[in-house]
Amino acid sequence: MLKDDTVLLLFDKDHPCWDEETIALAGEDGEGLRRLKALGLLQETNGIYSLTEKGKNAFKELCKAQFVVVEPGTAPSDYEEQEKILWRTRLQCLLDNSFIARWGIKEYHTGKILDYVPGLSGQEICCLQNFTSLEWTYISNPDVKKIKRSFP
């Protein structure tokens, strides 16, 4: 068993990319990332860690040994896609850490596109006026108006 097996098991199919800040949000030590990299189980690109083939095999063996049914993560080769995945994972950690209810179910679905939310971006959502005030432009978007009319 590895010293950093809990860190290794974080690299599942829904969370293939981690960095030190996000590992800390998950309650683990960032040193574990460097130790796993030194063992050849992780690779690192600009601070984002992902499993190597050797790491995927170690992940699978660890899952078998601990009776865990989870698939190892495969990070995309594109760095921008890795950043998006890391952002989603960080958001999930922040949401998990902010959940303080005594009962209830919370489920986080990674990478889901919500069909009922218009795919707005950049200036369609908001814009900064004269570097002093933020204008929420999404309110005037025709798709947003339609949703507001249909679901008051």
Side-chain angles (χ1 to χ4, degrees):
M1 187 170 306
L2 294 168
K3 176 181 181 183
D4 298 304
D5 57 353
T6 55
V7 174
L8 183 65
L9 286 178
L10 291 174
F11 289 85
D12 64 18
K13 68 179 178 69
D14 292 327
H15 310 94
C17 300
W18 291 83
D19 66 0
E20 289 188 36
E21 180 183 350
T22 311
I23 285 286
L25 287 172
E28 297 296 333
D29 181 15
E31 286 293 319
L33 292 171
R34 290 186 284 285
R35 287 189 293 266
L36 291 171
K37 181 182 175 190
L39 293 171
L41 302 177
L42 296 180
Q43 58 194 358
E44 181 254 333
T45 305
N46 296 328
I48 298 178
Y49 292 81
S50 59
L51 291 172
T52 62
E53 284 305 313
K54 181 178 176 183
K56 289 178 186 178
N57 291 332
F59 183 100
K60 290 175 186 176
E61 290 301 316
L62 187 56
C63 285
K64 279 186 208 173
Q66 296 190 8
F67 304 102
V68 176
V69 182
V70 181
E71 291 296 316
T74 300
S77 57
D78 180 51
Y79 180 70
E80 288 182 5
E81 287 299 313
Q82 290 179 10
E83 284 183 313
K84 286 179 187 177
I85 290 170
L86 178 63
W87 184 88
R88 279 195 326 240
T89 299
R90 187 174 297 147
L91 177 62
Q92 182 178 357
C93 288
L94 290 168
L95 289 171
D96 285 345
N97 292 343
S98 69
F99 188 76
I100 57 171
R102 287 180 65 188
W103 299 285
I105 296 173
K106 71 176 161 80
E107 293 181 9
Y108 188 90
H109 299 276
T110 58
K112 298 287 183 191
I113 296 173
L114 302 176
D115 294 332
Y116 51 86
V117 176
L120 305 178
S121 63
Q123 297 282 331
E124 293 176 306
I125 299 171
C126 65
C127 63
L128 190 59
Q129 300 293 332
N130 300 324
F131 297 102
T132 58
S133 65
L134 190 63
E135 179 185 349
W136 295 101
T137 54
Y138 77 93
I139 299 168
S140 60
N141 183 282
D143 291 334
V144 173
K145 285 181 176 181
K146 182 179 177 184
I147 289 173
K148 290 178 82 171
R149 277 193 311 274
S150 299
F151 305 100

